Amino acid sequence: MCAAGVLLLASAVTTGGQVVVELSDGGPSGAGGTTLTWKPCEGEGRQGFECATAKVPLDYARPRWRTIDLVVIRHRATAPGRRVGSLFFNPGGPGGAGTVGLPLQYHKFPKELRERFDIVSWDPRGVGQSTAVQCFASAEEAVTWLENVPAFPVSAKERRTFTAAYAELGRRCQKRVPELLRHVSTDESARDLDRLRQALGERQLRYWGVSYGTLLGATYANLFPSKDGRLVLDGNVDPRAWVEDGSKSEPELNTFLRLGSDLGSADALREFLRLCGRAPASSCAFSAGNPAATRAKLTELLGRLPKRPVGSWTYAKTVSEIRGGLYTVHPGWAETAQMLQTLWEGRIPEDPPAPPVSLTYPGFEQSLGVLCAESPNPRDPARYVGLAKLSTARAGDLGHWWAWANEPCATWPARAVRTYTGPWNRHTATPVLVVNATYDPATSYRAGKAMARELADTRLLTVNGYGHTSLDNPSGCVGRHTARYFLSGVLPPVGATCEQDVPPFAPFATETPAVPDGRGVTGAK
C-alpha cells in the first residue's frame, strides 16, 4: 500500500493508439457499441503490447453529458490457434495503472493462460493515462510536495505539518478536478469494466483482480451477476468493511483498521522475525541467532531511531519501509533484513529507487481520490492520534502507518456520487475463486475468509505463505488451480491449500506456517 492506498504502482508509461466510439444506450451500464482500435504501445518494456483508448460517461446517470478516456492495454494470446478469449486483469490500488501493472506482471501469469487468452488491463477512471486525478501542475511539483511530508507523524509538530499538508492537497484537487473527484468510485469503475467487456465482444467477464482489484471484482459480480464468467480474487479486501456496511454515521475506525491491515502486517512481521532468527546471517542479514533475540534487536533499533535517526532514515521512514518490504518475499524480505542490519550498524542504507518522473506520473492523490470519496473515515484529524494508539497497542510499530494513512480523508473535499454498498451475496453465473495467503501483510487472511463468506458462491484457496498476492509471491500450485478454473471452470477442492514455491530465507525455513490467530502482537483481540 502506498502512503494512502492499497497498492501504488509508481511509474508511468506513454501509450499510443486511439479508439472509435459509437455510443448508444443499452444494457445495465448504458453501454452501446464501442469499437477499439489497437496500436502498438509506446514506451520501454511494452514491446508486444497493444494499446487503445475508450470513451465512457463521466456520470452513468447522465451518459450523454460528458465523457472521459480510459486507456486500455492487452497482450495477445501467444497460441492464437488455441485462443479462448479475453482475460481482464486489475493490478490493485486504488490507483494502480494497468498500463504499468500488466507489462510488469504479465510474465507471472501461468503459461497456459498466456497461451490461451488475450490478457487485458486498463487505467481505471481517475488513474494514470486515463482521464486522471492530477492535483499538481507537473510531476516534479508532486514529487517535491511528497518529499516534504513524513510517512506518518510522530511528534506534535509533525502532526500539524501532516494534517495541514493533506488539507492543502484536498484544496488543490478540488480546484483542479472538482467534477472528476465525485466520479471515480469503484461502482463506476465496475460499469466501465462492463463496457470494456462488451467492446471486446465477450459474453461474460473473465477477470483476475489483486488487492483493491478484489473489491472491484466483488462489486462487478454483484452489479452484473449474470455476466460473471469466472473471477479470481487474489489478496482480498473485505467489501463490507471497506464501505462500513453503507453506514451514514461517523465511523469509529478508519478504513485500514476496519480491514485489519494493521493486524495482517503484525502477523507477517512476527513471522519475518521468527524465520530470520532461525536463519544464519548469510541468509537473513538481521538475524541475531534466534527469534527472540531478533525481535529484541528490532525493538532496540526502533526505540533509538526517534531520537537518533540515521541520516534521512527516521523512525517513520524505517517503519514505512519495513511494512512495504513485507509485501514481496523474494527479494523483499532479504532486502528488508539488509536494510535493518545497515541501520543497526549506524550506516545509511541506499534509498529505494525513485519512480520515473513524468508529466503523466500516476500520483498518490489518485489513490486518495477513490478511497476517500467512497470509504468512510473519521472527519476530525485529531481522531487519528487515538487511532494510532489503538493500532499500535494491537499491532505494534506498524500500526502507526495504517492509522495515519487514512487521515488525508478527514479533509478530503469530495464524496462519490455513486457508491456500491451491497448486497454482496447476489448469485453469480459461475462461482468465484478467492485466493489469500495466511500471512498477507496488507489484505489479511481474515479479509480473505470474509470475502469468501460474503459472496454468494465462492471457493477459498488458502496459500500457506507470506507476502501480498500470489502473482508477486509465486506458487505453482495456485497457478495450476487458476489456469484450470479459467479454462474449464473446475474449482479447487473444498479446503484446498497451496504452498509457495520458495519459502523465505530458503533453505533454512521450510516448515508450513500456522494460520494466524488474529490477535496481533499483544494478544489483544
Side-chain angles (χ1 to χ4, degrees):
M1 297 191 186
C2 66
V6 178
L7 175 65
L8 177 63
L9 300 171
S11 54
V13 57
T14 302
T15 58
Q18 60 181 1
V19 81
V20 178
V21 183
E22 299 173 2
L23 294 176
S24 64
D25 292 338
S29 65
T34 301
T35 304
L36 297 176
T37 299
W38 297 93
K39 291 185 177 180
C41 297
E42 299 174 5
E44 185 178 353
R46 276 82 193 176
Q47 295 79 11
F49 290 89
E50 299 175 331
C51 290
T53 304
K55 291 190 180 295
V56 297
L58 173 66
D59 184 351
Y60 276 94
R62 295 184 287 170
R64 298 185 183 278
W65 167 53
R66 176 182 166 190
T67 61
I68 57 175
D69 291 340
L70 299 180
V71 175
V72 189
I73 185 171
R74 73 176 176 188
H75 195 293
R76 294 271 199 172
T78 60
R82 301 170 60 225
R83 179 184 177 275
V84 173
S86 297
L87 169 60
F88 283 85
F89 169 63
N90 181 275
T99 58
V100 176
L102 181 58
L104 288 175
Q105 303 280 58
Y106 177 76
H107 68 283
K108 300 177 183 178
F109 282 81
K111 181 182 177 183
E112 301 95 315
L113 298 183
R114 287 181 278 130
E115 289 178 341
R116 305 291 298 278
F117 289 99
D118 298 341
I119 300 182
V120 183
S121 192
W122 77 107
D123 290 0
R125 56 174 55 216
V127 174
Q129 300 294 303
S130 296
T131 301
V133 173
Q134 291 183 328
C135 305
F136 297 90
S138 68
E140 291 83 358
E141 185 181 11
V143 170
T144 299
W145 185 94
L146 192 59
E147 286 175 346
N148 293 317
V149 181
F152 58 82
V154 176
S155 66
K157 180 180 179 181
E158 286 182 345
R159 287 196 293 273
R160 290 191 294 269
T161 299
F162 189 92
T163 57
Y166 278 105
E168 189 259 340
L169 175 66
R171 292 190 292 270
R172 280 177 175 262
C173 295
Q174 177 66 16
K175 182 177 180 180
R176 291 180 67 90
V177 286
E179 286 295 333
L180 185 60
L181 289 183
R182 300 165 66 241
H183 289 284
V184 291
S185 70
T186 305
D187 177 297
E188 290 160 313
S189 283
R191 296 173 191 273
D192 294 342
L193 179 55
D194 197 58
R195 283 219 166 190
L196 296 178
R197 173 193 64 79
Q198 294 178 64
L200 287 171
E202 296 293 337
R203 187 177 62 86
Q204 292 181 308
L205 179 75
R206 299 180 188 90
Y207 173 87
W208 191 328
V210 302
S211 194
Y212 163 80
T214 65
L215 177 71
L216 177 57
T219 302
Y220 184 94
N222 284 279
L223 283 174
F224 306 104
S226 68
K227 302 302 181 183
D228 166 14
R230 294 170 197 166
L231 275 59
V232 169
L233 307 182
D234 181 2
N236 289 265
V237 172
D238 179 347
R240 287 184 180 273
W242 181 271
V243 298
E244 182 80 338
D245 263 343
S247 173
K248 302 299 182 183
S249 60
E250 180 87 355
E252 290 297 318
L253 299 178
N254 61 309
T255 299
F256 292 146
L257 270 58
R258 290 198 305 272
L259 293 175
S261 297
D262 57 335
L263 296 173
S265 278
D267 290 335
L269 180 59
R270 186 170 59 247
E271 284 293 287
F272 170 91
L273 294 171
R274 181 178 71 86
L275 297 175
C276 179
R278 293 182 63 254
S282 58
S283 180
C284 179
F286 195 64
S287 177
N290 63 71
T294 305
R295 285 194 298 272
K297 185 177 177 181
L298 179 62
T299 299
E300 182 178 340
L301 173 62
L302 295 179
R304 72 191 189 205
L305 281 173
K307 294 183 178 180
R308 288 185 289 157
V310 180
S312 65
W313 286 77
T314 61
Y315 170 80
K317 179 176 179 176
T318 302
V319 167
S320 181
E321 292 299 326
I322 293 171
R323 181 204 58 84
L326 295 173
Y327 277 44
T328 307
V329 173
H330 301 287
W333 282 31
E335 291 175 347
T336 299
Q338 184 59 63
M339 173 200 79
L340 292 173
Q341 182 61 25
T342 301
L343 288 170
W344 176 260
E345 295 170 359
R347 298 181 292 114
I348 300 174
E350 290 186 13
D351 278 315
V357 174
S358 162
L359 292 178
T360 51
Y361 173 74
F364 52 90
E365 69 268 38
Q366 295 173 8
S367 175
L368 292 172
V370 178
L371 191 153
C372 293
E374 73 177 18
S375 185
N377 280 282
R379 298 291 288 169
D380 180 0
R383 287 276 309 280
Y384 291 83
V385 176
L387 291 171
K389 290 179 180 177
L390 169 66
S391 186
T392 53
R394 74 184 197 179
D397 293 274
L398 299 184
H400 287 293
W401 194 95
W402 293 108
W404 283 101
N406 294 137
E407 189 281 334
C409 297
T411 50
W412 194 252
R415 291 293 173 268
V417 169
R418 184 190 293 269
T419 300
Y420 187 80
T421 60
W424 299 101
N425 61 350
R426 288 181 169 146
H427 287 279
T428 50
T430 59
V432 176
L433 178 56
V434 175
V435 182
N436 223 98
T438 49
Y439 288 96
D440 187 313
T443 51
S444 70
Y445 189 56
R446 307 165 191 82
K449 291 192 291 185
M451 179 70 87
R453 182 174 61 249
E454 289 160 10
L455 299 186
D457 190 3
T458 64
R459 184 64 50 82
L460 174 62
L461 177 59
T462 297
V463 183
N464 288 321
Y466 316 90
H468 186 43
T469 82
S470 63
L471 279 179
D472 277 333
N473 299 278
S475 165
C477 171
V478 172
R480 289 187 292 274
H481 279 301
T482 54
R484 189 179 303 120
Y485 168 71
F486 277 124
L487 289 168
S488 63
V490 176
L491 290 163
V494 174
T497 61
C498 284
E499 309 301 321
Q500 292 174 331
D501 293 344
V502 183
F505 311 124
F508 302 101
T510 57
E511 77 271 23
T512 299
V515 175
D517 60 16
R519 298 185 299 168
V521 296
T522 63
K525 291 185 178 179

